[in-house]
Amino acid sequence: MKTIGIIGGGSLGLLFSAYLSDCYDVTLYTKTKTQAKCINENGITLHRQGEHHTKKVSAIPLGKNIKEADLIIITVKQYHLKEIIPFIQTLTIHTPLLFIQNGMSHIEILKNLPQRTLYLGTVEHGAMRTNMDSVHHTGIGTTRIASYRGEMESILPIVNFPWVIETDWYAMLVKKLVVNALINPLTALYRVKNGQLIHNSYFYKTMRLLFEEIASVLKLDSAFNYWENALGVCSRTSTNQSSMLKDIQEGRQTEIDAILGYIQTQAAEKRTSTPIVDFLYGSIKGIEEEKGD
Amino acid sequence: MKTIGIIGGGSLGLLFSAYLSDCYDVTLYTKTKTQAKCINENGITLHRQGEHHTKKVSAIPLGKNIKEADLIIITVKQYHLKEIIPFIQTLTIHTPLLFIQNGMSHIEILKNLPQRTLYLGTVEHGAMRTNMDSVHHTGIGTTRIASYRGEMESILPIVNFPWVIETDWYAMLVKKLVVNALINPLTALYRVKNGQLIHNSYFYKTMRLLFEEIASVLKLDSAFNYWENALGVCSRTSTNQSSMLKDIQEGRQTEIDAILGYIQTQAAEKRTSTPIVDFLYGSIKGIEEEKGD
């Protein structure tokens, strides 16, 4: 049986561990000893459409102890990536790594890694960690994977947890970035569920104003497709709260830097002004600060 | 004793009625029979700094029954002005009128009125109607008055309710417009008290971005003074909720059209783009729509 290491015990890490443990020998690397102990004792409970299943997964607190594996999947948030890089650097250059983060800022980090095989992934699942050892699969989607460097290995399809291989990692990440840049900050600012961005005619207009600015900065070819894709995500996840809205409500740091911050960096390089993005970035940072008080 | 008519039984109408009844014979024109009956029976109770005083004021439901008076003060919101114009038109051309509204859109309406003496006013008080016949004076400020047309009569100074005569109605309204355009929409969007716009460094930055756009559209001379004035209002009213935030929280219509809508009209005439104003306008209209559901 192939071995998989998963770094990060958040909602995505637990979701991947639970599903992949059906077909692979999974080791989950957690931030805390407490979480590792809890998972080793209880397994990971996956809640899905009213049912729940407990999966046996071995967990280890993350350190310079990552075992070589057929694939290591990194699911920590973009702003935690820097902290875990020293541990990844203890792996040989032959270990394939798969990075699943929002935004684009992690590409700079990838460039400097020695590993010969690096993949990038985007996730369309909805997942919510409800406990150290349990996760709710709130929205069934797919995982998209593209090679950033090296050959793409065939990946076993898993029932109810599909993988789609993409050929162009940049296009894949930008598509996801546009969705995140529209839905996350606006739902967090307005404190509404995803569907309201298309059902409320004024919110629809503000989303369009934001999109036009972003499309211009990123110089999107056939922008129409990106817009339609974002509307489709709003529609399919209409009753969901976005991750950024949840982060705000729970007083956690948001991923605004990885998302709108990246667009601002691109705009600065291209000497383009982005008034709405700047305003929205400041608004979310300010709301974050309020909640942190 | 001089006679004063006050049109509008909202927080400002009640505040003015209560204070002016100390020195003038005041008649308050209300929207509903119920409110008039209530005030005729109980008077108006003014709450201020822990004390309360009940003032005898006669009230009449508004119709084509406005009595000639030495001054008629119109305190209804900008978006209710059109409904009451037919009643004002029953007055002679000799009746002086004082209009106290936010924004600038009411100037167009004034142009077409036959009265020879028209004043404009802005209010720096905080007031909250807590009942049909009671009002809390939450922020002690001043009332500024300028002549739009005709001579300015001397107005009796009233203890604890001062009047300041301004010479330039346009400058006076623009100064108030800038304050309203910054504080009202941002506090309503962020759901924070006025002071957070200066205490939260990110909100301060978004307010500054918005100010720069507005200053450019309105072609403000010595923009620095307008900015300093707005910061001063944030500071003096730091623990207050803005009227727009209250409107949003209570599911009422906001004055966004009279405020940012006016700035958009000015921008259109001058062929200037206002991305942040447009985004913010749509955001507030959308939040209004959510609350109205």
Side-chain angles (χ1 to χ4, degrees):
Chain A
M1 189 188 250
K2 287 194 168 183
T3 55
I4 288 188
I6 295 177
I7 300 179
S11 53
L12 272 195
L14 291 181
L15 190 77
F16 274 71
S17 299
Y19 277 104
L20 296 181
S21 66
D22 287 345
C23 309
Y24 300 94
D25 178 7
V26 172
T27 303
L28 175 64
Y29 297 90
T30 63
K31 193 173 178 183
T32 65
K33 281 183 193 171
T34 319
Q35 189 182 13
K37 186 165 177 282
C38 183
I39 289 169
N40 285 322
E41 284 172 6
N42 310 328
I44 294 172
T45 303
L46 173 71
H47 299 263
R48 177 189 159 120
Q49 294 173 331
E51 293 182 0
H52 58 272
H53 303 279
T54 299
K55 314 287 181 114
K56 198 169 152 37
V57 171
S58 62
I60 301 176
L62 182 64
K64 291 187 177 178
N65 53 5
I66 311 179
K67 293 183 287 186
E68 299 294 328
D70 295 307
L71 180 67
I72 306 270
I73 306 177
I74 296 104
T75 68
V76 302
K77 295 221 167 168
Q78 201 276 332
Y79 50 77
H80 283 141
L81 215 43
K82 277 194 182 152
E83 301 162 22
I84 66 147
I85 290 300
F87 307 128
I88 290 176
Q89 281 166 336
T90 63
L91 291 163
T92 71
I93 60 168
H94 304 291
T95 313
L97 306 177
L98 163 59
F99 286 85
I100 302 185
Q101 278 74 34
N102 280 322
M104 303 281 281
S105 316
H106 53 305
I107 304 306
E108 281 306 306
I109 293 174
L110 262 65
K111 280 184 187 164
N112 301 318
L113 285 176
Q115 277 76 20
R116 289 190 182 157
T117 308
L118 299 176
Y119 305 136
L120 288 160
T122 63
V123 163
E124 292 159 9
H125 295 286
M128 190 162 61
R129 195 181 100 161
T130 48
N131 213 319
M132 275 195 286
D133 58 4
S134 64
V135 61
H136 281 245
H137 197 172
T138 54
I140 318 288
T142 55
T143 303
R144 294 177 187 278
I145 302 183
S147 169
Y148 173 77
R149 182 197 292 169
E151 284 301 300
M152 177 63 82
E153 293 274 318
S154 66
I155 294 183
L156 194 71
I158 295 175
V159 177
N160 290 331
F161 201 67
W163 306 78
V164 175
I165 307 299
E166 298 276 347
T167 50
D168 180 345
W169 66 265
Y170 182 78
M172 178 187 80
L173 285 196
V174 169
K175 198 171 166 193
K176 175 77 174 177
L177 175 70
V178 170
V179 169
N180 282 336
L182 297 179
I183 298 180
N184 271 323
L186 293 182
T187 53
L189 185 65
Y190 302 147
R191 298 165 213 200
V192 295
K193 292 184 172 171
N194 296 358
Q196 287 314 96
L197 298 183
I198 49 176
H199 297 138
N200 180 314
S201 61
Y202 292 106
F203 291 160
Y204 184 91
K205 273 182 215 160
T206 61
M207 180 162 66
R208 182 73 205 185
L209 290 174
L210 175 61
F211 174 74
E212 277 161 17
E213 213 173 89
I214 291 171
S216 157
V217 172
L218 299 180
K219 303 196 189 305
L220 297 182
D221 281 336
S222 55
F224 179 78
N225 294 338
Y226 289 89
W227 174 246
E228 288 288 301
N229 179 54
L231 296 185
V233 176
C234 282
S235 170
R236 288 192 298 279
T237 63
S238 66
T239 59
N240 287 15
Q241 288 195 320
S242 75
S243 59
M244 196 172 286
L245 174 56
K246 272 187 225 143
D247 287 341
I248 287 289
Q249 284 176 341
E250 288 167 29
R252 286 193 300 255
Q253 186 178 358
T254 71
E255 292 189 291
I256 196 71
D257 281 291
I259 298 170
L260 293 188
Y262 173 79
I263 290 167
Q264 288 180 309
T265 312
Q266 290 298 303
E269 279 179 17
K270 293 169 188 167
R271 292 166 196 268
T272 309
S273 78
T274 51
I276 297 175
V277 168
D278 297 348
F279 177 83
L280 191 52
Y281 174 86
S283 298
I284 298 296
K285 294 293 274 188
I287 292 171
E288 247 183 24
E289 196 166 280
E290 289 292 305
K291 295 287 168 178
D293 284 350
Chain B
M1 190 188 248
K2 286 194 169 184
T3 54
I4 287 187
I6 295 176
I7 299 179
S11 53
L12 272 195
L14 292 181
L15 191 75
F16 275 70
S17 298
Y19 277 104
L20 296 181
S21 66
D22 286 345
C23 309
Y24 298 95
D25 178 7
V26 172
T27 303
L28 174 64
Y29 297 90
T30 61
K31 194 174 178 182
T32 64
K33 281 183 193 170
T34 320
Q35 190 182 11
K37 186 164 176 282
C38 182
I39 289 169
N40 285 322
E41 285 172 6
N42 310 329
I44 294 173
T45 302
L46 174 71
H47 299 263
R48 178 190 159 118
Q49 293 174 331
E51 295 182 2
H52 58 273
H53 302 280
T54 299
K55 314 289 181 112
K56 197 170 154 35
V57 171
S58 63
I60 302 176
L62 182 64
K64 290 187 176 176
N65 54 3
I66 311 178
K67 293 183 289 185
E68 298 296 328
D70 295 308
L71 180 67
I72 305 271
I73 306 177
I74 296 101
T75 68
V76 302
K77 296 221 167 168
Q78 201 277 331
Y79 50 76
H80 282 140
L81 215 45
K82 277 195 182 152
E83 302 162 22
I84 67 147
I85 291 299
F87 307 129
I88 290 175
Q89 280 167 337
T90 64
L91 291 163
T92 71
I93 60 170
H94 304 291
T95 312
L97 306 176
L98 164 58
F99 287 85
I100 302 184
Q101 278 75 36
N102 281 323
M104 302 282 281
S105 316
H106 52 306
I107 306 305
E108 281 305 307
I109 293 174
L110 263 65
K111 280 184 186 164
N112 301 317
L113 285 177
Q115 278 77 20
R116 289 191 181 156
T117 309
L118 298 175
Y119 305 135
L120 288 160
T122 63
V123 163
E124 291 160 10
H125 295 286
M128 190 163 59
R129 196 181 99 161
T130 48
N131 211 319
M132 275 196 284
D133 57 4
S134 64
V135 61
H136 282 245
H137 197 172
T138 54
I140 318 287
T142 55
T143 304
R144 294 178 187 277
I145 303 184
S147 171
Y148 174 76
R149 182 196 292 168
E151 284 300 300
M152 177 63 81
E153 294 272 318
S154 67
I155 294 180
L156 193 72
I158 295 175
V159 176
N160 290 331
F161 201 67
W163 306 78
V164 175
I165 307 300
E166 298 276 347
T167 51
D168 180 346
W169 67 263
Y170 181 78
M172 177 187 80
L173 285 195
V174 169
K175 199 171 165 191
K176 175 77 175 176
L177 175 70
V178 170
V179 169
N180 283 334
L182 296 179
I183 299 179
N184 271 322
L186 293 182
T187 53
L189 184 66
Y190 301 147
R191 298 166 215 201
V192 295
K193 292 183 174 171
N194 296 358
Q196 287 314 96
L197 298 183
I198 49 176
H199 297 137
N200 181 314
S201 62
Y202 292 106
F203 291 160
Y204 184 91
K205 273 182 214 158
T206 62
M207 180 161 67
R208 182 74 204 185
L209 290 174
L210 175 61
F211 174 74
E212 277 161 17
E213 212 173 270
I214 291 171
S216 157
V217 172
L218 299 180
K219 302 194 187 307
L220 297 182
D221 280 338
S222 54
F224 178 77
N225 294 337
Y226 290 89
W227 174 247
E228 287 288 299
N229 178 55
L231 295 185
V233 175
C234 283
S235 171
R236 287 192 298 279
T237 64
S238 66
T239 59
N240 286 13
Q241 288 195 320
S242 75
S243 60
M244 196 170 285
L245 175 56
K246 274 187 224 144
D247 287 341
I248 287 290
Q249 284 177 340
E250 290 167 28
R252 287 192 301 255
Q253 187 178 356
T254 72
E255 293 190 290
I256 196 72
D257 281 290
I259 298 169
L260 292 188
Y262 173 79
I263 291 167
Q264 288 180 309
T265 311
Q266 291 297 302
E269 279 179 16
K270 293 169 186 167
R271 293 166 195 269
T272 309
S273 79
T274 51
I276 297 174
V277 169
D278 297 348
F279 177 83
L280 191 52
Y281 174 87
S283 298
I284 297 296
K285 294 293 274 189
I287 291 172
E288 248 183 25
E289 196 166 282
E290 288 292 305
K291 295 287 167 176
D293 285 349

